[in-house]
Amino acid sequence: MGGTFDPIHHGHLVAASEVADRFGLDEVIFVPTGQPWQKADEPVSSAEDRYLMTVIATASNPRFQVSRVDIDRGGPTYTVDTLRDLHAEYGPKVQLFFITGADALERILSWKEVDRMFELAHFIGVTRPGFELSDKHLPADTVSLVQVPAMAISSTDCRARVSRGEPVWYLVPDGVVQYIAKRRLYQR
Ligand code: ATP
Ligand code: MG
């Protein structure tokens, strides 16, 4: 599951847990982006802060891992490169799935080397409040659609709440609330 994770929140974690259960996945690897190319005009927290929040949020789940491939590669992150690197690391026998929310799935055909991307992994689109989940625009058999419990949470809203001095308790894991405060993230 790729994402900016700025910060990681319970919408991400519920989606990952639900898909892992439904598809019998051995592991879910959370991959924080290097520079998110779709957010080039927006300020994004440092890769290390986003990586550490992702580690904190997933630490207690033995099936959840965090990968640094996109952060360590540097430059803008393209999912086709993520999948190539994960295949190189895990070997050809491992089958990869890429979990993505309905909002990202809408735009997926604009992603770099989309045909190659679909060869490298099976894509799983999950429901997200406010977006319509559809595979009508996508080639047959490339994507599965999964309904997950509706979590109307976004990182954008979490950042806005912190900047206004409002709580993010229970929207993000406790350790992430504490890390945001410790590092003074998202304050104006
Ligand atoms: P931002 O508001 O900064 O874009 P975000 O909440 O959309 O943050 P991302 O890191 O952009 O989080 O998302 C990573 C992946 O998780 C994307 O595929 C996105 O669609 C999915 N996702 C994010 N929030 C949810 C949610 N509440 N329910 C389901 N999927 C989600
Ligand atoms: Mg997003």
Side-chain angles (χ1 to χ4, degrees):
M1 182 168 191
T4 313
F5 302 131
D6 190 19
I8 188 165
H9 54 67
H10 282 128
H12 300 126
L13 295 162
V14 164
S17 164
E18 198 69 13
V19 171
D21 175 65
R22 209 76 66 80
F23 283 77
L25 306 183
D26 299 316
E27 287 183 358
V28 178
I29 308 166
F30 292 79
V31 192
T33 56
Q35 294 165 17
W37 61 273
Q38 295 171 88
K39 295 178 180 169
D41 305 334
E42 303 164 33
V44 174
S45 302
S46 77
E48 292 307 323
D49 281 333
R50 293 182 292 105
Y51 171 75
L52 285 173
M53 288 190 283
T54 309
V55 169
I56 290 165
T58 56
S60 61
N61 188 326
R63 285 180 194 255
F64 284 1
Q65 312 290 339
V66 186
S67 168
R68 293 185 60 93
V69 280
D70 288 345
I71 291 171
D72 291 344
R73 188 182 324 104
T77 293
Y78 298 102
T79 296
V80 68
D81 299 326
T82 312
L83 295 173
R84 277 199 191 101
D85 285 355
L86 291 177
H87 264 298
E89 187 178 333
Y90 284 81
K93 283 191 186 148
V94 165
Q95 190 185 0
L96 295 182
F97 297 79
F98 191 88
I99 304 169
T100 183
D103 58 313
L105 195 67
E106 275 175 5
R107 301 187 305 265
I108 208 164
L109 290 180
S110 69
W111 293 11
K112 187 182 151 195
E113 291 179 56
V114 65
D115 295 336
R116 182 75 189 120
M117 209 177 71
F118 284 142
E119 286 167 10
L120 289 168
H122 183 74
F123 279 67
I124 300 173
V126 300
T127 48
R128 180 172 190 181
F131 300 93
E132 200 195 328
L133 183 66
S134 164
D135 59 1
K136 279 191 211 113
H137 59 303
L138 298 171
D141 302 331
T142 48
V143 181
S144 303
L145 303 182
V146 172
Q147 177 121 20
V148 300
M151 305 288 276
I153 308 174
S154 72
S155 300
T156 300
D157 180 52
C158 292
R159 293 191 300 273
R161 285 173 148 274
V162 174
S163 80
R164 293 192 298 258
E166 294 168 10
V168 288
W169 290 111
Y170 317 116
L171 299 174
V172 305
D174 293 358
V176 173
V177 179
Q178 290 158 331
Y179 185 89
I180 289 169
K182 171 178 163 179
R183 295 277 300 141
R184 297 180 201 282
L185 301 180
Y186 316 131
Q187 312 211 344
R188 268 173 299 189

